[in-house]
Amino acid sequence: MGKTAGNRDWTQIYAIYGIEQWQTLVFLLFHAFFFSLLSVLFLIYFDQICFFLDSFFLSGAARLAAGFTGAVTALSAVCLLFAAANFVYSDVPLQYEMAQRMVSSVGDWSCVKTALDLGCGRGILLNAVATQLKKTGSSGRVVGLDRSKRTTLSTLRTAKLEGVQEYVTCREGDVKTLPFGDNYFDVVVSSVFVHTVGKEHGQKSVEAAAERMRVLGEIVRVVKPGGLCVVWDLLHVPEYVRRLQELKMEDIRVSERVTAFMAGSHIVSFRKPSELVAGPREVRLDWR
């Protein structure tokens, strides 16, 4: 399947992390196959379908209706196949590549003693952070926090397979009330997670937005003054930027748009100021 930017084989990475939401992939592929089969049947039995539709439509309209239905069916199959391909790409290769981008935004990992991965999931970003700590000979550790104890146990397994288990700690916790003291971490990272907070209320609801803002507030609370936060997420990045400006964060940067899971996504990075000062903060568009 080719080599990654880090010269690793994709088959090895898939073997370690697998497909997280395979039910979604199966759903997309099943319906893509169904619509593909339906469009082929329309093509093979086109004349018979037109003959059947003649009893419901005016003269000549039956062929138009059959052709239109067949075209829509074929287009649906193509769209579903594209969605499935984007899902497979987003689930592992893109997450792996974005994790490398996120860790590269931290200048010197050797100075990092404590890092947090919020919503660590399978550990793609968590292990990327741990790998950087290992490469630089740091004595630091990265904590992976997730809402599910089962997930944290699985994440520890992937850390062992990546050979970075001594740099990783995983724990279960509530992301809306982080179980850490103020100014605790040098670096906080998060990958396609914050948008899932409050989804039980509906993505566009006021309640969900309030819970996402609460999570951002918790991130700011636990990072040390001068510490760096890097968040990659879908859909709600503009509201994150507004909230970070309200919280007087420094050096707010927004990456170019990247399509992930059929939605727009951006990396947002910012620093917690050593001393909070009044006034709005400038937002920089980082096109690297």
Side-chain angles (χ1 to χ4, degrees):
M1 295 181 66
K3 300 289 185 178
T4 70
N7 203 34
R8 296 185 62 188
D9 197 296
W10 283 123
T11 56
Q12 180 187 14
I13 297 173
Y14 271 107
I16 294 174
Y17 297 105
I19 298 291
E20 187 171 30
Q21 300 179 35
W22 58 267
Q23 299 95 331
T24 303
L25 180 60
V26 170
F27 173 86
L28 290 171
L29 289 175
F30 172 80
H31 285 83
F33 174 78
F34 172 77
F35 280 101
S36 297
L37 179 61
L38 201 58
S39 62
V40 170
L41 291 176
F42 259 94
L43 184 63
I44 294 175
Y45 298 103
F46 184 75
D47 290 334
Q48 292 89 328
I49 293 172
C50 290
F51 178 78
F52 172 76
L53 293 177
D54 272 334
S55 58
F56 300 98
F57 293 92
L58 297 174
S59 177
R63 295 186 69 84
L64 179 62
F68 177 78
T69 304
V72 170
T73 303
L75 182 61
S76 298
V78 171
C79 290
L80 286 164
L81 285 171
F82 178 78
N86 183 263
F87 183 89
V88 171
Y89 171 66
S90 301
D91 197 56
V92 178
L94 181 59
Q95 288 203 50
Y96 186 87
E97 291 173 9
M98 295 298 278
Q100 306 310 309
R101 285 183 58 180
M102 293 171 73
V103 299
S104 68
S105 64
V106 179
D108 186 4
W109 282 101
S110 64
C111 298
V112 175
K113 301 303 178 185
T114 53
L116 171 66
D117 179 9
L118 190 66
C120 59
R122 293 166 292 174
I124 294 177
L125 178 56
L126 180 77
N127 293 333
V129 171
T131 299
Q132 291 300 314
L133 294 173
K134 183 177 181 179
K135 284 181 178 179
T136 57
S138 171
S139 59
R141 294 180 69 86
V142 55
V143 179
L145 186 78
D146 201 273
R147 292 173 289 195
S148 167
K149 185 176 182 179
R150 181 179 179 182
T151 299
T152 59
L153 293 175
S154 176
T155 304
L156 289 173
R157 181 187 66 83
T158 64
K160 185 176 181 180
L161 292 172
E162 292 280 23
V164 293
Q165 65 271 26
E166 66 271 24
Y167 294 89
V168 170
T169 301
C170 290
R171 62 181 297 177
E172 179 186 7
D174 183 1
V175 296
K176 292 172 288 190
T177 309
L178 295 178
F180 308 105
D182 297 352
N183 308 321
Y184 189 82
F185 294 99
D186 298 301
V187 173
V188 177
V189 297
S190 182
S191 175
V192 287
F193 172 75
V194 179
H195 75 281
T196 67
V197 177
K199 65 180 181 180
E200 64 274 10
H201 303 297
Q203 285 284 357
K204 297 183 179 180
S205 68
V206 174
E207 294 83 359
E211 292 195 5
R212 291 191 295 270
M213 295 307 98
R214 184 175 177 182
V215 171
L216 277 182
E218 282 293 283
I219 292 174
V220 170
R221 179 182 68 81
V222 300
V223 71
K224 293 178 180 178
L228 179 67
C229 300
V230 187
V231 177
W232 173 41
D233 206 22
L234 314 176
L235 302 173
H236 306 292
V237 168
E239 70 182 39
Y240 301 166
V241 171
R242 288 193 295 270
R243 180 56 178 159
L244 293 172
Q245 289 176 311
E246 293 171 359
L247 293 171
K248 305 298 188 295
M249 295 297 103
E250 293 181 340
D251 198 21
I252 302 171
R253 296 174 181 266
V254 181
S255 75
E256 77 281 6
R257 184 183 186 275
V258 176
T259 300
F261 301 103
M262 300 299 292
S265 73
H266 300 268
I267 295 175
V268 181
S269 63
F270 61 93
R271 286 191 181 276
K272 183 176 181 178
S274 299
E275 294 182 4
L276 289 177
V277 294
R281 298 292 177 181
E282 178 185 2
V283 179
R284 300 182 185 180
L285 297 179
D286 187 356
W287 300 106
R288 291 177 298 171

